[in-house]
Amino acid sequence: MTIITPDRPVAEIHTLPDALRLRREKQPDETAYVFLRDGEEPKESLTYRNLDDAARVRAAAFETADLAGGNAVLLYPSGLEFIRTLVGCMYAGVAGAPVQVPRRRQGVERLRRIADDAATTTVLTTAEVKRDLEERFGDCPELAGLTLIDTEALTAPPAVDPARYEFRAPRPEDIALLQYTSGSTGDPKGVMVTHGNFLSNVVETDELWPCEPDGTVVSWLPLFHDMGMLFGVVLPLWAGVPSYLMAPESFIRRPARWLEAISRFRGTHSAAPSFAYELCARAAEEGKTANVGDLSSWRVAANGAEPVRWRAVRAFTEAFAANGFNPRAMAPGYGLAENTLKATGSPQDREPTVLWLSTRALGEGRIELLGEGAEGATPVVGSGVPVLDTRVRIVAPATRALCPPDRVGEIWVSGPCVAAGYLGRPEASEETFRARLRGSAPASDETHLRTGDLGFLHDGELYVTGRIKDVLIRNGRNYYPQDIELSAEAAAPGLHPNCAAAFSVDDGAEERLVVLVEADGRVLRAPGEQALRRRVRAAIRENHRLEADVVLVVRRGALSKTSSGKVQRRACRQRYEDGALDSFVVPPAGSAQVAR
């Protein structure tokens, strides 16, 4: 692979450390990363020289501590120390496993499960996180035997000059990262992302959404998450453009901060899940985006990590048209950790596509086009196209045969971005990462990643309809939970995006549809809990001809969600079946207490 520097020489690179060394040589004092305090003011920054120096110090310390060639957990809050350590690990041949900093006991348990799965007792972190873990969870058996290392305090060994030290050069097939899936089960799986996977994915991303020399990335996504890491760290390093980062909490507390940062720093590339665009549109409705400013610099507003909602696309583009937001900047895409990240994306020279489909036909796995807003129609947003060497196919899950055109099936992906497999799980890796189409030649080298997602191809573009494991089947028809959840969210004013979870449970006699809805006191005092339940049931009945057997209203924040804000339906179902979710009841206005 080649990389072009500002003065246009072309150099061959094979890994991200190669890219950093070239950046240091050609643009050493240009800004690489900036972290924004509270999502607003620059707190700390790194040039390419700074980053290379810091990464070398950490790599030398890792080699001296005999960590080279092994695995380590990366436990960092949002900030630049994560980036220093990530690159330091790559220099030393350490496969890092990024994990969210625990806030509760369950987080500590997950940390230990991942450390055990990665066969490591080394946890790289900051002084603040180390102190907090030891003070709050020091008596937890899950921390026993783990070595917490403050990487901010690391120095190079006295006999080693990091600037001259020749670190091992990783090969494209070497493991660069262990990306643990954000699912809800107690059995975490580490996706083995190679250096070649990283480079292939970022080259594809830059091919689809070119950064150009004037590019600037702005991101609030968590860096331990695949989307946050690739967009916030890897893409800007490859392209040689600055990246402005903020903590996810800064966005969640005040979504307008994200847009204000894009305006202030003239961001060209930024990514987020669909619900984030909805939160911004809601903030605009409530008059909370007055300081956003000019968004005309924004060329790529990548939208992924969950099914993209047409309502979100339309609401956001309309809300910020006056700020100069170009509708063509909205770029829905599809990706997953098992493919490093991006698999498809919408080209930036056109507006997002949407198909209005017969809901009934879609439930039968068929694609029947209707007019916009027609009765019985469901909008499905296009997730774009693959580029370069990635290929996408639609396959019947049971038979592994290619689906006919305009039929729903499982999305299979092939190409250089498909990761090496799950760490220590050869059988699961063979089933998921090396699937073959029915009828393919035994000697064929072409294998595919089975994504577990459902979708279809239309005019060469991918449309995602849902997860195989989440589909609800009633009377021989398929119902997609995200559609039911969207109806629930729209049932009453004041409900927030991503506030519902729909799933089925087996009570021993039949399958029952359960819908959980998050609400706060302000929403409930208007219609009341019982009235809200009735509205949710009525919306589901009207939109889907389906009866919700149970509608449970829960306190806002009670639903289990991934680090990127996506509802974890299986975790919600488990907590519901365990009786761990209570109905949230708000007394009439003026009452002294809020009951559960």
Side-chain angles (χ1 to χ4, degrees):
M1 296 180 185
T2 59
I3 186 168
I4 302 177
T5 57
D7 53 345
R8 293 296 185 266
V10 177
E12 190 74 18
I13 68 168
H14 303 281
T15 66
L16 285 178
D18 289 343
L20 175 56
R21 285 192 287 266
L22 190 63
R23 293 297 172 201
R24 176 180 182 140
E25 177 185 346
K26 300 299 182 182
Q27 49 194 109
D29 298 317
E30 291 187 18
T31 298
Y33 300 96
V34 178
F35 184 71
L36 302 176
R37 186 196 309 272
D38 296 327
E40 298 174 9
E41 295 299 324
K43 175 185 178 183
E44 185 183 14
S45 64
L46 282 173
T47 65
Y48 295 105
R49 188 199 308 272
N50 296 153
L51 176 56
D52 188 49
D53 286 344
R56 285 172 172 273
V57 168
R58 284 151 183 76
F62 297 156
E63 290 219 0
T64 302
D66 292 328
L67 298 179
N71 304 329
V73 172
L74 307 183
L75 195 68
Y76 290 90
S78 292
L80 303 189
E81 181 59 21
F82 171 82
I83 303 173
R84 298 184 189 99
T85 303
L86 176 67
V87 181
C89 285
M90 291 182 179
Y91 273 162
V94 177
V99 177
Q100 184 175 12
V101 175
R103 301 300 181 201
R104 300 181 178 87
R105 174 68 178 267
Q106 293 90 333
V108 179
E109 294 170 354
R110 175 174 168 79
L111 164 65
R112 186 56 189 247
R113 288 197 300 270
I114 289 176
D116 289 345
D117 187 80
T120 184
T121 58
T122 301
V123 179
L124 307 178
T125 188
T126 66
E128 182 178 354
V129 171
K130 181 175 183 291
R131 182 172 55 253
D132 182 66
L133 282 178
E134 290 172 343
E135 290 177 354
R136 296 172 57 200
F137 305 110
D139 59 345
C140 292
E142 289 82 6
L143 286 184
L146 295 182
T147 301
L148 306 180
I149 298 176
D150 169 17
T151 55
E152 295 171 309
L154 292 177
T155 58
V160 175
D161 179 0
R164 298 179 180 275
Y165 194 79
E166 290 298 324
F167 296 106
R168 63 183 70 194
R171 299 167 300 174
E173 64 270 23
D174 289 342
I175 305 302
L177 191 82
L178 296 174
Q179 184 67 62
Y180 277 83
T181 55
S182 57
S184 61
T185 68
D187 186 26
K189 296 191 293 293
V191 179
M192 296 184 290
V193 181
T194 68
H195 287 277
N197 293 149
F198 260 139
L199 261 294
S200 296
N201 203 265
V202 76
V203 167
E204 284 194 4
T205 302
D206 195 36
E207 172 75 16
L208 180 66
W209 299 319
C211 285
E212 307 293 349
D214 66 339
T216 298
V217 172
V218 177
S219 179
W220 59 266
L221 295 171
L223 299 182
F224 57 81
H225 187 269
D226 52 0
M227 191 175 182
M229 184 185 307
L230 264 293
F231 238 88
V233 179
V234 180
L235 176 63
L237 179 57
W238 158 263
V241 301
S243 178
Y244 291 83
L245 306 171
M246 68 178 73
E249 295 80 9
S250 297
F251 165 78
I252 296 298
R253 289 171 184 157
R254 193 168 72 83
R257 284 178 172 138
W258 176 35
L259 308 184
E260 291 167 4
I262 291 172
S263 173
R264 178 179 177 184
F265 300 108
R266 309 310 296 152
T268 61
H269 291 62
S270 195
S274 188
F275 83 90
Y277 294 97
E278 290 188 75
L279 287 179
C280 290
R282 174 72 62 86
E285 289 179 7
E286 297 172 351
K288 298 177 180 178
T289 58
N291 297 324
V292 165
D294 180 19
L295 297 177
S296 62
S297 65
W298 201 354
R299 297 197 294 263
V300 175
N303 189 336
E306 61 186 13
V308 178
R309 296 176 172 181
W310 179 239
R311 183 180 74 178
V313 171
R314 185 172 53 192
F316 185 89
T317 53
E318 291 176 355
F320 297 101
N323 297 86
F325 181 77
N326 186 343
R328 294 189 174 192
M330 182 63 70
Y334 167 73
L336 65 166
E338 286 83 351
N339 193 61
T340 309
L341 181 62
K342 184 203 67 63
T344 65
S346 301
Q348 64 184 73
D349 59 352
R350 64 165 172 79
E351 295 186 27
T353 58
V354 60
L355 299 179
W356 292 83
L357 306 177
S358 164
T359 304
R360 176 169 291 277
L362 191 59
E364 298 169 355
R366 297 183 295 105
I367 306 306
E368 182 181 319
L369 300 179
L370 300 178
E372 180 176 351
E375 183 178 356
T378 295
V380 181
V381 178
S383 292
V385 297
V387 296
L388 299 182
D389 295 326
T390 289
R391 297 287 182 270
V392 171
R393 292 177 170 87
I394 304 301
V395 180
T399 66
R400 302 194 178 200
L402 282 174
C403 288
D406 289 341
R407 291 286 299 190
V408 174
E410 185 179 8
I411 302 168
W412 285 25
V413 179
S414 63
C417 302
V418 175
Y422 294 124
L423 178 68
R425 288 173 167 78
E427 293 183 2
S429 296
E430 192 69 21
E431 171 69 19
T432 301
F433 290 86
R434 289 177 276 281
R436 295 178 183 273
L437 292 169
R438 190 181 73 182
S440 61
S444 172
D445 292 332
E446 186 175 28
T447 59
H448 301 77
L449 166 67
R450 296 191 64 168
T451 68
D453 291 317
L454 293 170
F456 62 93
L457 293 171
H458 181 80
D459 289 340
E461 183 162 6
L462 176 66
Y463 293 78
V464 182
T465 58
R467 290 283 296 170
I468 292 176
K469 294 180 179 179
D470 290 342
V471 170
L472 309 172
I473 302 176
R474 293 291 186 278
N475 299 320
R477 290 185 58 202
N478 293 339
Y479 294 88
Y480 296 97
Q482 67 268 19
D483 296 333
I484 298 171
E485 291 159 0
L486 186 60
S487 295
E489 291 173 19
L495 292 176
H496 289 261
N498 254 29
C499 72
F503 50 85
S504 63
V505 297
D506 187 349
D507 65 1
E510 60 180 352
E511 290 281 329
R512 295 163 57 82
L513 171 60
V514 177
V515 180
L516 309 180
V517 181
E518 285 184 339
D520 54 29
R522 180 173 56 87
V523 174
L524 285 184
R525 284 195 180 95
E529 183 193 13
Q530 294 300 325
L532 178 58
R533 290 180 180 180
R534 287 195 296 271
R535 289 186 183 185
V536 170
R537 280 196 170 93
I540 295 171
R541 184 183 307 115
E542 179 179 351
N543 295 335
H544 309 284
R545 304 296 187 266
L546 191 63
E547 290 294 332
D549 298 293
V550 177
V551 175
L552 182 65
V553 179
V554 298
R555 188 182 301 274
R556 190 176 177 192
L559 296 185
S560 300
K561 297 181 181 180
T562 68
S563 57
S564 60
K566 182 167 52 177
V567 171
Q568 295 175 302
R569 297 187 186 97
R570 277 171 282 175
C572 290
R573 179 176 60 195
Q574 186 63 56
R575 293 174 62 201
Y576 171 80
E577 292 177 333
D578 292 343
L581 290 169
D582 297 326
S583 180
F584 176 35
V585 182
V586 174
S591 177
Q593 297 182 355
V594 176
R596 278 184 72 96

